Amino acid sequence: MTTVLIADDQPLQRLGFRMLLESQDDMTVLGEANNGAEATRMTAELQPDVVLMDVRMPGLDGIEATRRIIASGARTRVLILTTFDLDEYAYSGLRAGASGFLVKDAQPEDLLSGIRAVATGDAVVAPSLTRRLLDAYVHHLPTAASAAAQTPDPRLDSLTDREREILTVIGKGWTNTEIATRLHLAESTVKTHVGRVLAKTGSRDRIQAVILAYDTKLVK
Amino acid sequence: MTTVLIADDQPLQRLGFRMLLESQDDMTVLGEANNGAEATRMTAELQPDVVLMDVRMPGLDGIEATRRIIASGARTRVLILTTFDLDEYAYSGLRAGASGFLVKDAQPEDLLSGIRAVATGDAVVAPSLTRRLLDAYVHHLPTAASAAAQTPDPRLDSLTDREREILTVIGKGWTNTEIATRLHLAESTVKTHVGRVLAKTGSRDRIQAVILAYDTKLVK
DNA sequence: GCCACGGTAGTACCGGGGTACTACCCCGCT
DNA sequence: AGCGGGGTAGTACCCCGGTACTACCGTGGC
């Protein structure tokens, strides 16, 4: 169950969000705040999984409230919602520690899946903004070569690409049957791959392989 | 009407996408390509709005095909779809000029809204990757995730000291018999402890527990 | 043309992991 | 004294993980 706090200064807007969220059987609205100060206080008290945060609010605005919530060390994730997808709002909001930035005219399903994503630690950005973020930052992305060089661990050298993939999903905790179904393989094939990965990496079982995957930063 | 080309080497996967897309009255599948070379050729010929591009394909892979399509100057947008949200794939795909990067186990609605977004010139990135992109390039302030990691993880709250100790050595990869001998316990006792740890933390097996131990910084 | 290698797939077998109980002891609390 | 929680220990059972093979097919190198 995902618990949500709604922070918006417009009562009608809050009502809309509450109706949408309460219609989902995996979400609960813990409360509503009508300004940033109240949002900060209620978050500390109610410890929701996610705060739906409006940017424009009287007194303490959503950006500053986000900053304070994150600074408090709470495990609550902040998803910023605004009418305007202005870059200034987005950049400062994300820099403040928000896990996401969506525009209010998004489809309800997009909002819901966004809430679920940030609740599990992922992040979401409105497509219109993603475009601009990519344009601005794509040139700073590491190349495939440097990404490969990022794992110079000799323990992984002998693995083929496929085996490295297998090791990655082992590290994610997938079972053999899960790997088989999700990768469209027979379980026997998965076992063959896994066996080779274990042999090549000197791991006695998949648990050692999970640890190896973490040590080599293949996962997380 | 949004026109789409599906590029994937798995016929069954293509069929699934086609079924999903054709069920929408604002989308049409112009064709299917089963490798990168074919995708490049068919894009030039059919000029679709969007290419759903798989990464792993025999011969010319999805990344290189994306690079060639973008380089050709076509107005076609490329949305990369892959089973793995590996950073290497994503970075190189986005650098190649893709308008989006989604994982195949996403919800169908998310895929559809993603297609609509890139068709209109916006961009989409899978939430799991967005998290890492934000962490790496948008802000250098503590994130919600790292802030949460500083405080004791609530998932471990219900554990007793002994159980937390057990979880730690599970995270180190010790087997039940190793735990028993090194901690001077009977193996049955170890199994009891392990069982309780798994139940309390909601882990289906010790592998999930290992991952949890790493996530909560209980080990390393 | 042939061979090596990577990826896929199959069968058969065994042991450890995990579950579902029950049970006993020690300690602190009321 | 009675009670509850934490730690310890046992038995019985089933399933998944891992091993040890064998085998087929493409692709690329020689």
Side-chain angles (χ1 to χ4, degrees):
Chain A
M1 181 63 74
T2 302
T3 56
V4 181
L5 175 68
I6 300 172
D8 199 306
D9 63 329
Q10 299 179 4
L12 216 63
Q13 183 76 69
R14 290 201 304 271
L15 180 63
F17 286 147
R18 178 182 276 272
M19 296 287 284
L20 175 65
L21 269 58
E22 293 287 11
S23 75
Q24 305 296 306
D25 51 10
D26 65 334
M27 295 188 184
T28 312
V29 176
L30 289 189
E32 302 180 6
N34 66 13
N35 59 56
E38 209 169 89
T40 308
R41 187 176 52 70
M42 291 181 72
T43 297
E45 185 187 329
L46 303 174
Q47 303 246 342
D49 296 323
V50 178
V51 178
L52 281 193
M53 184 78 78
D54 186 28
V55 173
R56 296 182 54 136
M57 286 188 289
L60 199 68
D61 69 18
I63 306 291
E64 186 54 34
T66 299
R67 192 169 288 117
R68 297 190 184 187
I69 288 172
I70 297 302
S72 78
R75 65 179 183 79
T76 297
R77 325 277 186 178
V78 178
L79 177 52
I80 295 182
L81 275 171
T82 180
T83 309
F84 307 96
D85 65 336
L86 298 180
D87 290 356
E88 309 87 83
Y89 286 175
Y91 291 148
S92 54
L94 293 175
R95 289 182 66 90
S99 288
F101 189 93
L102 293 179
V103 288
K104 285 185 180 175
D105 63 355
Q107 296 299 313
E109 312 88 65
D110 293 339
L111 174 58
L112 291 173
S113 57
I115 292 174
R116 294 193 179 93
V118 302
T120 59
D122 291 335
V124 288
V125 173
S128 55
L129 179 64
T130 297
R131 170 83 284 161
R132 298 198 293 278
L133 280 179
L134 287 184
D135 289 346
Y137 288 97
V138 74
H139 303 300
H140 299 122
L141 294 177
T143 63
S146 68
Q150 180 190 346
T151 53
D153 201 297
R155 288 173 292 181
L156 303 183
D157 283 353
S158 62
L159 297 182
T160 65
D161 290 344
R162 191 56 156 169
E163 285 161 357
R164 221 181 309 272
E165 282 180 0
I166 296 293
L167 178 54
T168 303
V169 296
I170 289 176
K172 289 182 179 176
W174 295 16
T175 64
N176 285 343
T177 51
E178 284 174 344
I179 298 175
T181 55
R182 298 189 196 178
L183 265 58
H184 306 101
L185 295 174
E187 185 167 350
S188 58
T189 305
V190 175
K191 284 190 172 188
T192 305
H193 284 314
V194 171
R196 266 199 273 269
V197 168
L198 298 185
K200 286 186 176 179
T201 59
S203 310
R204 72 174 161 202
D205 54 34
R206 72 198 294 112
I207 294 168
Q208 302 298 327
V210 170
I211 294 173
L212 178 66
Y214 271 82
D215 285 349
T216 58
K217 313 291 181 193
L218 207 56
V219 294
K220 269 297 173 309
Chain B
M1 180 66 71
T2 303
T3 56
V4 181
L5 174 69
I6 300 172
D8 198 308
D9 63 328
Q10 298 181 5
L12 217 64
Q13 184 77 69
R14 290 202 304 271
L15 180 63
F17 286 146
R18 179 182 275 274
M19 296 287 285
L20 175 65
L21 269 57
E22 294 287 11
S23 74
Q24 305 296 307
D25 52 10
D26 64 334
M27 295 188 186
T28 311
V29 177
L30 289 190
E32 302 180 7
N34 65 14
N35 59 56
E38 209 169 88
T40 309
R41 187 175 52 71
M42 291 180 72
T43 297
E45 183 187 329
L46 304 173
Q47 304 249 342
D49 295 324
V50 178
V51 177
L52 281 192
M53 183 79 77
D54 186 28
V55 173
R56 289 187 45 129
M57 286 188 290
L60 200 67
D61 70 18
I63 307 292
E64 186 54 35
T66 299
R67 192 168 290 118
R68 297 189 184 185
I69 289 171
I70 298 302
S72 77
R75 62 173 188 82
T76 298
R77 323 278 186 176
V78 178
L79 176 52
I80 294 183
L81 273 172
T82 180
T83 309
F84 304 94
D85 63 338
L86 299 181
D87 290 356
E88 307 87 86
Y89 287 176
Y91 293 156
S92 52
L94 294 176
R95 285 181 66 90
S99 287
F101 189 93
L102 293 179
V103 288
K104 284 185 179 174
D105 62 354
Q107 297 299 313
E109 312 87 65
D110 293 339
L111 174 58
L112 292 173
S113 57
I115 293 174
R116 295 193 179 93
V118 302
T120 58
D122 290 336
V124 287
V125 173
S128 55
L129 179 64
T130 299
R131 166 85 286 158
R132 298 199 292 278
L133 282 178
L134 289 183
D135 287 347
Y137 296 101
V138 175
H139 60 90
H140 303 285
L141 299 175
T143 66
S146 64
Q150 292 169 353
T151 61
D153 199 294
R155 287 174 293 183
L156 304 183
D157 283 354
S158 62
L159 298 181
T160 66
D161 289 346
R162 190 56 156 172
E163 286 161 356
R164 202 169 283 113
E165 196 180 338
I166 296 294
L167 178 54
T168 304
V169 296
I170 289 176
K172 289 180 180 174
W174 296 13
T175 65
N176 285 343
T177 52
E178 283 174 346
I179 298 175
T181 56
R182 298 188 196 178
L183 265 56
H184 304 102
L185 294 174
E187 185 167 349
S188 59
T189 305
V190 175
K191 283 193 172 187
T192 305
H193 284 314
V194 172
R196 266 200 271 269
V197 169
L198 298 185
K200 285 186 176 179
T201 59
S203 311
R204 72 174 162 203
D205 54 35
R206 71 197 295 115
I207 294 168
Q208 302 297 328
V210 170
I211 294 173
L212 177 66
Y214 270 82
D215 285 349
T216 58
K217 311 293 181 194
L218 207 57
V219 294
K220 204 181 75 78

